[in-house]
Amino acid sequence: VESAFKKAGIKDAVISEVTPSPKLLNYRNKAQYPITKDKNGEYIIGFYMPKSHTVKEARCCPLSPVNFSQILDTAADFFKKHAISVYNEKIGCGLLRHIYLRRGEVSGEVLLTLVINGDTLPASDEFVNVLTKKHKEIVGVLLNINKKNTNVILGEKFITLFGRDYIYDTLCGVKLKISAPSFYQVNHDAAELLYRKARELANPKPDDILLDLYCGAGSIGLSMADSGCTLYGIEIIESAVECAALNASQNGFSNAKFYAGDAKNSELLLAKAEAALGKKIHPNTVILDPPRAGCDGKLISYVSSLSPERIVYISCNPSTLARDISIFNSLGYKHGDIYPYDLFPATGHVESLVCLTKQTN
């Protein structure tokens, strides 16, 4: 984090001590495993080796829950029994691409999504029966259709083979419905520490208006909604927006509204909300939690034009965080201390949190 801010030319950045993760192993509630075969025809389920698309066997990854490896073993036995082909990205043929698992830390529920290069899975009923009989924690089995020759893991179409297309979990006292493509922090316990600090920095009050961009299933904003503030969330994945709206309702938050769309088009989305309300929306606080690429320049300009008192920025990429803070600085926002959180123990990645405040002349 220090290096990223130095490279960005932000010499006055104060980097706080890293907040450690409560768990160092078995903390990941989500994993996406590519599938291939070795020369002997044995299925390899694991992760890509660094800077390559060579799959390394890693069913028993120590960062994932123990039952993930058990579920993968059961799936591999099924694939072998039915001799199901694996996807070859060089020629675009073969069926199996990825196994995608996510788990609720509090609920223990598991959602299994099988990503395929096709429309159907041979013996799909048997696949469901074998997995759900042996692994009672599985509450949903999905197919995700991805026929594109792309590095993007998930396609747009999901088919539910069994149960639900979502799991439940509880974070910061808020019960959350989480769909397969929804963003949700992979380290539950460390995320609670991060979100509590974010709430402290946002300091929401009953009369405040919070704008939560890249809101996912609403986890960050809803962790602050009990303050009585008015919350507006924007998220590009429609199923995540549906989850966010349901999460607000199930937790009794009538003060939260969510809209589907690209955060870059927040101006248009807020205009719809203003038209429905019959009045302008002037957020006191904007919450940003963008993907690794950081915020689009257009979005930074728009957020600044709203003149919120505070911008609470959560980032998984120190380089793009430093870049964006530099731009916010030039637009009249002063950054506070930067707080790193070890959300990804045993890896080179880190989550960071900072609050920027509007400077008055």
Side-chain angles (χ1 to χ4, degrees), residues 78 82-85 95-96 116 120-127 143:
F78 171 85
H82 293 275
I84 299 177
S85 63
L95 188 66
L96 301 175
I116 61 172
T120 59
L121 174 72
S124 59
D125 288 344
E126 181 183 342
F127 181 67
L143 290 181

Side-chain angles (χ1 to χ4, degrees), residues 120-329:
T120 59
L121 174 72
S124 59
D125 288 344
E126 181 183 342
F127 181 67
V128 167
N129 291 336
V130 167
L131 279 159
T132 56
K133 184 177 180 180
K134 192 167 184 178
H135 308 283
K136 304 294 186 183
E137 66 272 28
I138 296 177
V139 298
V141 178
L142 312 178
L143 290 181
N144 176 263
I145 311 304
N146 185 357
K147 299 180 185 179
K148 295 181 180 180
N149 189 2
T150 173
N151 291 333
V152 177
I153 294 175
L154 294 177
E156 295 180 359
K157 183 179 179 181
F158 286 86
I159 298 171
T160 303
L161 297 179
F162 165 80
R164 307 193 231 117
D165 61 355
Y166 58 88
I167 58 171
Y168 283 110
D169 203 13
T170 302
L171 187 68
C172 294
V174 179
K175 185 177 181 180
L176 298 169
K177 175 185 176 182
I178 306 157
S179 65
S182 295
F183 172 77
Y184 188 58
Q185 293 286 4
V186 299
N187 185 335
H188 174 278
D189 295 355
E192 284 200 326
L193 300 178
L194 174 72
Y195 285 9
R196 287 177 188 141
K197 185 64 177 182
R199 179 184 177 125
E200 176 190 320
L201 296 175
N203 192 26
K205 298 179 176 59
D207 293 333
D208 282 356
I209 295 176
L210 269 64
L211 177 59
D212 184 4
L213 302 181
Y214 307 97
C215 69
S219 57
I220 302 175
L222 291 176
S223 72
M224 305 181 190
D226 63 348
S227 66
C229 66
T230 300
L231 171 66
Y232 297 96
I234 295 175
E235 166 61 42
I236 196 169
I237 298 175
E238 291 190 7
S239 65
V241 175
E242 293 169 3
C243 287
L246 181 68
N247 292 335
S249 176
Q250 289 189 338
N251 286 278
F253 296 134
S254 60
N255 52 327
K257 303 293 181 185
F258 297 92
Y259 299 89
D262 194 329
K264 291 185 289 187
N265 299 322
S266 298
E267 184 173 4
L268 299 176
L269 296 167
L270 280 190
K272 291 182 180 179
E274 290 172 342
L277 292 169
K279 63 179 181 180
K280 285 286 185 180
I281 296 173
H282 298 289
N284 305 81
T285 301
V286 173
I287 301 167
L288 296 172
D289 188 9
R292 288 188 60 80
C295 292
D296 179 83
K298 176 184 173 183
L299 176 63
I300 293 176
S301 296
Y302 175 64
V303 168
S304 298
S305 74
L306 293 173
S307 295
E309 299 165 17
R310 294 170 297 276
I311 300 169
V312 177
Y313 195 140
I314 297 173
S315 171
C316 60
N317 186 342
S319 296
T320 55
L321 174 64
R323 179 201 67 197
D324 291 351
I325 284 180
S326 181
I327 300 172
F328 275 120
N329 287 168

